[in-house]
Amino acid sequence: MRPRSIVFDLFGDYIRYRGGAARLRSISALLDCFGVGDSTVRVVMARLCKEGWFDAHKSGRETVYALNSDSLRMLNEGRDRIFNPVREPWDGQWHMVIYSVPEAERSIRDQVRKELAWLGFGALASSTYISPHDRLRQISEHFANEPSVRLDLLTCQSGGVDTDREMAARCWDLESLNADYTEFLTTYEPRLGQYRRGSLTPMEALVERTQLIYDYRKFPFRDPDLPLELLPQRWVGRRAHDVFIEAHDLLQEPAEGYVDTIINQ
């Protein structure tokens, strides 16, 4: 796990619910559980501040790092994608984004693609992305202040479910994704018994829960959360999500207890 990823997970799962700010020495003590040294923590937090993800201020002789509006927005979007998958029946409507960005603005074009992928859109053709879920408003709002980005936002319907399935297969590599879900299940499903018995120490529970989140977090970025009609046979993604939620819940109490111990020192 990369140290900056651990920092975001600690703030996203724990510190945000404890005032949203923590002293540098508390952050260092928590990252020490993952083998990350003090000097690395200082460099990582300074970089995250420079990138605009955290605000820093002095409290006496100590530096305190706090979440800001940008980091909270990212954490909220990520948490929603991870913990609140769409389970309502599909109405058969596709939501389409056709974008245009000047050739000189390649970095902005990359931002558009990343945002579309994060929101579950898949590339149907060049500069044309689709999703079975209506997230057009989020796309429009995210790029409202980017004058170089032109967006055409449409809602449409195909000729039938066979065409829908063919489109889904073109937009997303579902076979590879299903194989990775299977690997996740192979790793974590056998551990549920250990979690249920409470066999881990509080520090071990924190490390295990953070690793769990780290391993699962890649899926919402790749998984469009397709309705049942569009999923391939023997799809295990929904079972993997259920295992993730159960493991995450079982490890919560001891992990939170350890975080409280460190922050309140």
Side-chain angles (χ1 to χ4, degrees):
M1 290 184 287
R2 296 174 60 196
R4 63 182 290 140
S5 296
I6 299 172
V7 168
F8 277 119
D9 287 336
L10 290 173
F11 272 85
D13 239 17
Y14 307 98
I15 297 173
R16 68 174 300 180
Y17 302 112
R18 290 157 174 80
R23 296 166 295 175
L24 178 59
R25 65 185 176 97
S26 297
I27 300 170
S28 293
L30 289 170
L31 266 75
D32 184 60
C33 302
F34 303 87
V36 181
D38 290 349
S39 60
T40 300
V41 175
R42 286 194 294 271
V43 171
V44 168
M45 296 310 300
R47 286 178 178 171
L48 290 173
C49 277
K50 187 176 181 180
E51 293 171 10
W53 295 114
F54 288 88
D55 296 331
H57 66 271
K58 286 288 187 179
S59 177
R61 300 179 62 182
E62 294 192 282
T63 303
V64 177
Y65 290 92
L67 293 166
N68 58 34
S69 58
D70 289 336
S71 53
L72 280 170
R73 181 186 68 84
M74 181 194 68
L75 290 173
N76 286 337
E77 288 180 355
R79 189 169 187 84
D80 187 58
R81 289 295 309 280
I82 292 172
F83 290 94
N84 300 307
V86 179
R87 292 293 182 262
E88 290 81 9
W90 187 40
D91 61 4
Q93 299 288 323
W94 289 101
H95 304 278
M96 180 180 293
V97 176
I98 305 172
Y99 68 86
S100 176
V101 180
E103 184 64 27
E105 303 283 358
R106 293 186 179 181
S107 62
I108 296 179
R109 184 185 297 119
D110 289 341
Q111 290 178 26
V112 174
R113 291 169 178 165
K114 288 179 181 179
E115 184 71 11
L116 286 166
W118 173 243
L119 289 174
F121 286 80
L124 183 66
S126 178
S127 302
T128 302
Y129 281 65
I130 60 172
S131 170
H133 309 300
D134 187 1
R135 294 173 181 144
L136 299 179
R137 178 182 56 80
Q138 291 97 311
I139 293 293
S140 180
E141 290 177 351
H142 190 81
F143 295 101
N145 296 320
E146 288 287 356
S148 61
V149 179
R150 174 178 173 176
L151 299 173
D152 291 310
L153 308 178
L154 310 171
T155 299
C156 52
Q157 199 167 12
S158 80
V161 68
D162 290 337
T163 302
D164 290 330
R165 288 174 181 156
E166 189 272 332
M167 290 167 63
R170 286 164 54 195
C171 290
W172 297 281
D173 187 354
L174 298 176
E175 289 188 9
S176 174
L177 181 59
N178 204 39
D180 289 341
Y181 272 133
T182 300
E183 183 178 350
F184 177 87
L185 284 167
T186 300
T187 299
Y188 285 101
E189 205 164 26
R191 299 182 187 180
L192 289 178
Q194 184 183 23
Y195 301 161
R196 291 171 186 141
R197 292 190 299 271
S199 302
L200 302 181
T201 67
M203 188 183 80
E204 290 171 340
L206 173 64
V207 173
E208 185 80 358
R209 195 171 189 241
T210 305
Q211 184 69 58
L212 172 78
I213 296 168
Y214 182 86
D215 290 341
Y216 190 82
R217 188 175 53 216
K218 62 188 177 185
F219 291 118
F221 190 82
R222 299 170 55 202
D223 189 346
D225 201 13
L226 295 176
L228 289 172
E229 300 95 312
L230 305 181
L231 291 172
Q233 292 183 348
R234 295 180 294 278
W235 180 255
V236 298
R238 296 195 173 193
R239 182 157 64 96
H241 182 264
D242 291 342
V243 168
F244 166 75
I245 292 297
E246 182 176 0
H248 189 265
D249 289 348
L250 288 168
L251 294 169
Q252 179 176 355
E253 184 175 349
E256 287 187 341
Y258 187 78
V259 171
D260 287 335
T261 299
I262 295 297
I263 289 179
N264 295 328
Q265 285 181 346

